[in-house]
Amino acid sequence: MKLIAAMSGGVDSAVAAARVAEMGHEVVGVHLALSSNPQKYRSGARGCCTIEDSHDARRAADVIGIPFYIWDMASEFHEGVVENFIAEYSNGRTPNPCLRCNEKIKFAAVLDRARALGFDGVVTGHYAQMKETSAGRLMYRAVDPAKDQSYVLAVLNSEQLAGAHFPLGDIVKTDTRKEAKARGLYVANKPDSHDICFVPSGDNAGWLRDRLGSESGPIVDESGEVLGEHQGAYTYTVGQRRGLGLTVPAAGGIPRYVLKIEPKTNTVVVGAHEALAVEKIVGDRPIWCGPAPISGRDHRGFAQVRAHGQPLACTYSHNNLEITVHLDEPLFGLAAGQGLVIYDDDRVVGSATVSETA
Amino acid sequence: MPAYFDHAATTPLSALATSALVEQMAKIGNASSLHSPGRLIRKDVEEAREQIAGLVDANPSEIIFTGSGTEANNLALKGFYWKAHAQDPQRRVVLISAIEHHAILDPAEWLDEHEGAELVFIPVTSAGSVDLVFLTDFVQRRGSEIAVIAVMHSNNETGTLQPIAEVVAIAGDIPVHTDAVQSFGKVDFSFSQLGVTSATISAHKIGGPLGVAALILRRGLDLTPILHGGGQERDIRSGTLNAPSIVSFAAAAQESTSKMAERAIYIRSLKKYLVESLFAIFPDITVNGDQTHSLPGIVNITFPGTESDGLLLLLDAEGFYCSTGSACSAGVPRPSHVLLAMGVSERDARSSLRFSLSFSNTRAEIDQLCEVIGSVVHRARAALARG
């Protein structure tokens, strides 16, 4: 096959590219420039937007012995991921930009371009497994549960997954580093990236404040009583307990948590932990990673709502526009905008964006 | 068979230059040492200097060896600015053409940002030649404020030759620097006849080694050095003289100059063949810049509806090597500032490739290129349409 290997400059994507090249595929390494000014979104060497990272990626491609190019995806990334991130927060929702980047950039803009240029697909260093089954090419969790990234890939539909290759799904991270070292890849000991790649220093709230302003507003309890003031509602996350700066003590000293963010009135609602309990989740914009489950009927499975969250046993159904999940046990704290991913044991069934909880 | 069409980026070391380099590397001695081995090396360096001076029609003392064309350009631009500005604080305008190489453009921007200079660009015509009407008017209005003028001898992306003699005439007493890196060894180049104050030439564009170039600087002029040290080159440039590279540079300069006329005819006919062959396949392509007053080997072509980095990737895979405009330090492709200055749209500037040919290229290579380029352009167009 002819494959484009997306190379961030990190150890995972370097080993992934090396693995497919070794299998005999014709591989071309591509580093995605995601900011029109490479130093604009972040500085430091942990992310995917620095000059140093593009050099690391180039060097890895040299060692592997594959051609290497930089693709300018800055405007696509800004429109598809960064603007969406800001818009979601300003609507009181909590987006996951990594899901969005996989859906709109890596397996859309990049995959489309690769296919048009005559390539068969895109290789990334994500930890997930693709398996050929009687029902087609399906996605499963990675062997390494600590690194499993199937959650952030659950936004890919069958057509996108047909061109997706994850050569690291069957190894654990420590082995990836060992393999990188054995292959002579200098990035073997490079630290993992954790934060949102376009937010410098990981200060999400500060980054948003710079772009959305810091209009103060009330922090209220469920009855509407004002308990304090906030400096920008979007800097709070549902389930957050610390840093509320409330001046009115709660009855009986019970800790209070952020329950809701209401962007229209610029209000943050807080309350007791029990009020965070969620048993029903509705998600819109469903995407199926394989054959769609039969609509209008209950199915058993697991729901996951965070990148490294627990799979929660549930019953789910869908009507093609929405997925509705009933959890066996309640979950505490879930924000609209988060990704809802449905699993059938280890197989990724599909995903939706959380729109309502109850 | 792979074919290299990127000789303006760099071109192979010639056999003569290689043997000169290897031979000189076996010799011991620092050209600044006072003992016999040092003197012998000094003799080799000075002979090389005289040889190069003869080829560019300059006095040997006017040749200042540097480590790169970029260094020579920095030395000239910053040096003239600092000198003029120190003598007369009113002189702070750095006037450069809008199509200069980054080795002029970036030091000029640096002077503007950090040294109190005012950077002014001389626009170019749609044919890619500096606008002499603008220059005349600007010099008339603000001549007393101009510290230095820099206009390249020929453009590295389009190959278009610039009217340097006219620029010098208009400039009068204002120092004029010309970056002649692409011209030297390809077209006639006489330092004394042009009348410029300084010029840059480089070895690796003419079959010499990497890492050696020269600033040709009119006698009697001093410039503020950038590197301070032993003052080996007229106290303007410090650093142990790189005798092997300098001697090899002279060998390459001698060879390319003596074969220049004959090679130019061949290379120009090859370029014509390339352009005609491409036109036969794609009637909608555009050749950018004046091709009547141009270097023999450089041609810049817009392939509408493509993205040049896609074209480059596909041609590279097929074994054909050419180049796009430029990239930032992280390697992100940028639309060429040269084409934009000529009024080419950003869309078309992003769809352009430079082919630069040498005497070693053949018609057969062009024929092979034309066999694959149809499918390459087709795929690159599909990629842009989908992206």
Side-chain angles (χ1 to χ4, degrees):
Chain A
M1 278 192 290
K2 290 176 71 176
L3 299 168
I4 290 288
M7 300 178 74
S8 65
V11 61
D12 294 329
S13 55
V15 173
R19 285 188 153 205
V20 282
E22 194 175 67
M23 285 162 71
H25 298 299
E26 190 181 327
V27 183
V28 170
V30 163
H31 179 76
L32 305 178
L34 299 179
S35 162
S36 52
N37 169 359
Q39 300 295 9
K40 188 166 130 196
Y41 286 133
R42 74 175 299 150
S43 54
R46 291 176 304 154
C48 49
C49 301
T50 68
I51 291 175
E52 202 177 323
D53 289 321
S54 76
H55 286 187
D56 286 345
R58 182 188 303 276
R59 180 70 192 122
D62 291 344
V63 171
I64 299 163
I66 55 173
F68 177 83
Y69 305 95
I70 310 263
W71 282 6
D72 184 2
M73 291 281 163
S75 61
E76 289 88 346
F77 186 74
H78 190 81
E79 286 161 25
V81 179
V82 181
E83 283 181 359
N84 172 265
F85 181 78
I86 296 168
E88 284 285 276
Y89 266 107
S90 69
N91 287 324
R93 293 154 65 98
T94 304
N96 183 324
C98 299
L99 266 78
R100 187 85 186 168
C101 179
N102 286 325
E103 182 189 357
K104 299 289 180 189
I105 308 297
K106 294 199 180 108
F107 298 97
V110 176
L111 179 60
D112 285 350
R113 188 166 194 223
R115 281 174 164 157
L117 289 172
F119 290 85
D120 301 299
V122 170
V123 178
T124 67
H126 285 113
Y127 287 77
Q129 299 188 81
M130 295 303 301
K131 292 182 185 172
E132 298 294 343
T133 71
S134 54
R137 214 170 124 76
L138 300 175
M139 182 164 57
Y140 289 79
R141 286 189 192 274
V143 166
D144 183 352
K147 278 301 294 182
D148 173 46
Q149 291 174 308
S150 58
Y151 176 84
V152 293
L153 297 166
V155 287
L156 307 182
N157 61 34
S158 297
E159 206 216 332
Q160 289 170 302
L161 285 170
H165 299 267
F166 311 120
L168 302 188
D170 63 348
I171 54 172
V172 297
K173 177 82 183 197
T174 47
D175 289 343
T176 308
R177 292 199 180 278
K178 281 183 203 152
E179 187 174 326
K181 204 171 174 198
R183 289 177 181 278
L185 293 165
Y186 166 76
V187 290
N189 295 318
K190 197 172 170 179
D192 284 1
S193 54
H194 288 295
D195 306 324
I196 295 168
C197 78
F198 55 85
V199 176
S201 75
D203 177 14
N204 205 0
W207 192 90
L208 286 166
R209 211 174 288 127
D210 288 346
R211 282 151 186 86
L212 294 172
S214 48
E215 194 194 338
S216 59
I219 298 179
V220 303
D221 66 13
E222 286 172 281
S223 71
E225 188 190 338
V226 176
L227 306 175
E229 194 178 68
H230 67 74
Q231 305 295 322
Y234 44 81
T235 62
Y236 294 83
T237 308
V238 171
Q240 176 181 343
R241 178 185 164 190
R242 292 173 195 282
L244 299 180
L246 299 181
T247 47
V248 181
I254 303 163
R256 284 172 301 203
Y257 298 81
V258 174
L259 302 181
K260 224 176 351 179
I261 292 149
E262 293 176 342
K264 279 181 189 153
T265 55
N266 193 27
T267 302
V268 173
V269 183
V270 298
H273 189 252
E274 305 87 79
L276 284 170
V278 168
E279 284 171 339
K280 181 186 170 197
I281 308 168
V282 180
D284 57 16
R285 238 169 45 88
I287 295 166
W288 305 112
C289 304
I294 297 165
S295 60
R297 187 188 289 184
D298 282 350
H299 304 273
R300 288 292 295 169
F302 293 89
Q304 188 175 326
V305 295
R306 287 186 190 90
H308 295 286
Q310 289 298 312
L312 308 165
C314 71
T315 300
Y316 68 92
S317 60
H318 78 93
N319 63 6
N320 296 314
L321 298 172
E322 283 179 337
I323 301 177
T324 303
V325 167
H326 291 277
L327 298 172
D328 292 2
E329 301 285 337
L331 151 77
F332 291 88
L334 176 61
Q338 284 181 230
L340 165 67
V341 176
I342 306 290
Y343 289 85
D344 175 8
D345 284 330
D346 278 350
R347 183 175 76 80
V348 188
V349 177
S351 70
T353 307
V354 174
S355 55
E356 270 179 63
T357 59
Chain B
M1 278 289 283
Y4 186 82
F5 296 131
D6 203 16
H7 291 275
T10 197
T11 197
L13 197 64
S14 80
L16 275 173
T18 307
S19 55
L21 184 68
V22 171
E23 206 175 296
Q24 193 69 32
M25 284 173 96
K27 295 187 185 176
I28 189 172
N30 181 326
S32 300
S33 296
L34 303 177
H35 47 57
S36 300
R39 282 199 305 277
L40 284 174
I41 301 292
R42 168 64 71 175
K43 177 174 173 283
D44 293 338
V45 167
E46 294 311 320
E47 279 174 7
R49 192 190 307 278
E50 285 164 17
Q51 203 175 359
I52 291 172
L55 296 169
V56 296
D57 214 357
N59 190 286
S61 67
E62 292 177 321
I63 306 292
I64 296 168
F65 289 113
T66 64
S68 64
T70 297
E71 186 194 338
N73 282 331
N74 270 264
L75 201 50
L77 205 70
K78 292 175 183 171
F80 284 128
Y81 171 74
W82 285 326
K83 189 183 170 73
H85 191 59
Q87 285 170 354
D88 177 1
Q90 208 196 328
R91 288 204 185 264
R92 46 184 291 275
V93 172
V94 172
L95 186 60
I96 71 170
S97 87
I99 57 170
E100 292 299 302
H101 187 274
H102 279 283
I104 288 288
L105 185 57
D106 289 33
E109 285 175 347
W110 181 83
L111 288 170
D112 182 277
E113 283 167 26
H114 300 280
E115 296 290 295
E118 179 189 348
L119 172 58
V120 177
F121 291 104
I122 310 168
V124 297
T125 63
S126 59
S129 185
V130 284
D131 184 342
L132 294 173
V133 176
F134 173 92
L135 181 66
T136 307
D137 175 65
F138 192 86
V139 170
Q140 272 172 9
R141 285 191 294 113
R142 299 185 59 188
S144 64
E145 295 171 56
I146 303 171
V148 56
I149 298 173
V151 178
M152 65 204 324
H153 194 273
S154 60
N155 183 264
N156 55 305
E157 293 185 32
T158 62
T160 302
L161 289 164
Q162 301 300 315
I164 302 300
E166 288 85 338
V167 171
V168 170
I170 294 164
D173 294 338
I174 303 164
V176 176
H177 172 75
T178 190
D179 176 354
V181 161
Q182 293 295 348
S183 288
F184 175 56
K186 315 286 170 52
V187 290
D188 289 332
F189 178 79
S190 162
F191 181 71
S192 62
Q193 276 180 29
L194 270 182
V196 290
T197 324
S198 64
T200 297
I201 59 174
S202 175
H204 77 103
K205 308 291 189 189
I206 56 165
L210 288 155
V212 64
L215 177 68
I216 312 171
L217 175 67
R218 203 185 286 170
R219 265 190 295 186
L221 285 178
D222 278 336
L223 288 181
T224 308
I226 293 171
L227 304 176
H228 297 87
Q232 284 85 347
E233 291 288 86
R234 260 172 76 181
D235 267 345
I236 290 172
R237 203 270 183 178
S238 289
T240 302
L241 285 165
N242 183 353
S245 294
I246 289 169
V247 168
S248 178
F249 183 8
Q254 179 63 50
E255 187 184 14
S256 61
T257 309
S258 65
K259 295 179 179 170
M260 186 174 77
E262 180 196 343
R263 284 177 178 175
I265 293 169
Y266 172 73
I267 297 168
R268 200 174 285 284
S269 76
L270 211 55
K271 179 166 78 170
K272 186 164 174 272
Y273 184 67
L274 170 66
V275 171
E276 285 170 359
S277 304
L278 291 174
F279 264 120
I281 305 169
F282 313 105
D284 59 341
I285 60 171
T286 316
V287 173
N288 297 304
D290 181 359
Q291 282 295 313
T292 54
H293 298 95
S294 68
L295 295 176
I298 294 184
V299 64
N300 189 298
I301 296 174
T302 300
F303 294 89
T306 67
E307 235 159 1
S308 50
D309 61 336
L311 289 174
L312 187 98
L313 180 157
L314 296 168
L315 285 173
D316 187 2
E318 300 282 357
F320 297 97
Y321 315 122
C322 55
S323 77
T324 59
S326 60
C328 78
S329 47
V332 180
R334 294 264 174 261
S336 152
H337 70 282
V338 173
L339 299 182
L340 294 178
M342 289 162 60
V344 174
S345 69
E346 183 170 336
R347 178 71 272 144
D348 282 350
R350 284 186 182 274
S351 313
S352 304
L353 286 182
R354 176 189 72 181
F355 296 87
S356 50
L357 311 176
S358 94
F359 63 90
S360 61
N361 290 120
T362 62
R363 283 192 169 216
E365 289 175 338
I366 292 171
D367 291 339
Q368 284 161 5
L369 169 73
C370 290
E371 279 173 30
V372 304
I373 203 160
S375 132
V376 164
V377 169
H378 176 75
R379 277 179 283 162
R381 282 182 175 157
L384 180 61
R386 289 179 71 152

